[in-house]
Amino acid sequence: MIKTLNYARLSNHLLFTFVKRLLALFGLISAPETSSAKPFIDKTTRTFDAFSKAFENNGADPYTALKAEKDDERDETYLAFRTYIEACSHRLDDNSRRHADTILRVIKKHGWSAWSKGYKRQTAVHSTMFADIRNNYTDSIDALQASMWLEEAEQTQRNFEAVTQESIKQPEGPSLSELRPDLIKSLRSLLNMTQLILESDPTDENEKLVADINELIGNTMTSVKATNTRKHNQNEEETSTEAESK
């Protein structure tokens, strides 16, 4: 019996690796051209080829490096602004401390460590944060002489958004998310047919093929669990760090 594979939990990278190794297993059977699974193997191969091309091109976006550079710049200017406000909160002047504490509360409200999140999350949080400060707390910014620090952070945010918009305009082929359903559908059909072949013709070769497939599925799901554990631990660490900063 072929083990159940939880496709929804597979990242695109794990799905790519799984199908690549699965097709290699089918390539080892003695007479693949006459196998009842051949039409299903061919269909999976075609959908995998399309998915593989998109997967390999996924990191080839010419804007990838530029977006990373602009993201680094906005991280630095945001941290400079935040650090300056923090420094003002330690001044002996009560008025400066009061205004600094006000801005720090706004930053914490929107997301103290949003700079370390994904591009979209950071863009959304920082845009809202800067708008809030501009609309409601300019008196505190002026009192702290922090306009230069805020303007620089806002400008690098705009620079990143401009590069992101340019990258969206570039013509692209089908995305991984568009190709993934067809690949999974053909994969399900191939595994179902393989199970039927084993039931109708339980030869040593077919039993070995299913055993190898089950081992591959087991190893893949182990990788999923390991990845999820790392993400969980990282999220807990980031949450703890953010809580300590408040």
Side-chain angles (χ1 to χ4, degrees):
M1 186 74 178
I2 294 179
K3 292 180 179 179
T4 299
L5 180 62
N6 191 335
Y7 299 96
R9 296 181 64 189
L10 297 184
S11 65
N12 287 330
H13 182 271
L14 282 176
L15 179 61
F16 172 86
T17 302
F18 175 81
V19 181
K20 183 178 180 179
R21 292 175 178 172
L22 179 70
L23 290 175
L25 291 178
F26 280 99
L28 296 176
I29 60 179
S30 58
E33 292 302 317
T34 59
S35 169
S36 301
K38 187 178 185 306
F40 300 90
I41 296 172
D42 291 346
K43 179 64 181 298
T44 302
T45 299
R46 288 194 299 273
T47 56
F48 177 67
D49 285 346
F51 186 85
S52 177
K53 183 178 180 180
F55 182 82
E56 292 170 357
N57 291 337
N58 195 44
D61 179 0
Y63 284 89
T64 298
L66 185 56
K67 281 191 285 190
E69 176 187 331
K70 296 303 178 185
D71 182 55
D72 286 342
E73 290 177 358
R74 70 169 174 173
D75 289 348
E76 289 297 312
T77 55
Y78 163 70
L79 291 173
F81 169 67
R82 194 185 76 180
T83 301
Y84 176 76
I85 300 299
E86 282 187 287
C88 291
S89 73
H90 294 288
R91 294 187 62 186
L92 296 179
D93 177 62
D94 288 340
N95 189 54
S96 294
R97 294 177 67 171
R98 178 172 59 82
H99 284 296
D101 287 342
T102 296
I103 299 300
L104 289 178
R105 283 195 295 271
V106 176
I107 295 174
K108 290 174 182 178
K109 178 181 73 172
H110 289 284
W112 184 265
S113 299
W115 68 274
S116 63
K117 308 299 182 184
Y119 287 168
K120 290 184 179 179
R121 171 67 175 163
Q122 181 179 349
T123 297
V125 170
H126 283 193
S127 294
T128 304
M129 179 194 303
F130 294 149
D132 191 3
I133 293 173
R134 283 294 185 193
N135 293 333
N136 303 299
Y137 303 97
T138 53
D139 56 335
S140 293
I141 293 296
D142 292 340
L144 297 172
Q145 298 182 344
S147 293
M148 177 184 69
W149 303 90
L150 178 58
E151 288 169 4
E152 191 172 50
E154 290 175 313
Q155 183 58 55
T156 55
Q157 169 87 345
R158 288 192 292 269
N159 292 345
F160 177 84
E161 290 177 330
V163 170
T164 300
Q165 288 302 314
E166 282 298 315
S167 68
I168 292 174
K169 296 176 184 177
Q170 299 304 303
E172 297 178 353
S175 66
L176 289 173
S177 60
E178 292 171 323
L179 295 169
R180 183 182 172 104
D182 281 344
L183 176 59
I184 291 176
K185 182 179 179 180
S186 62
L187 187 57
R188 288 182 190 274
S189 297
L190 174 58
L191 293 179
N192 288 338
M193 174 53 68
T194 303
Q195 178 61 43
L196 291 174
I197 290 173
L198 175 64
E199 293 173 3
S200 63
D201 187 20
T203 63
D204 290 343
E205 183 178 55
N206 287 337
E207 288 182 354
K208 183 179 185 310
L209 175 61
V210 169
D212 288 342
I213 291 173
N214 282 336
E215 182 179 4
L216 176 59
I217 291 174
N219 291 338
T220 300
M221 295 312 298
T222 297
S223 296
V224 169
K225 292 178 182 178
T227 300
N228 289 341
T229 299
R230 285 195 298 271
K231 287 182 178 178
H232 175 73
N233 292 340
Q234 182 179 359
N235 288 338
E236 283 195 338
E237 182 178 347
E238 289 178 354
T239 300
S240 176
T241 300
E242 184 166 343
E244 290 173 358
S245 69
K246 295 182 179 180

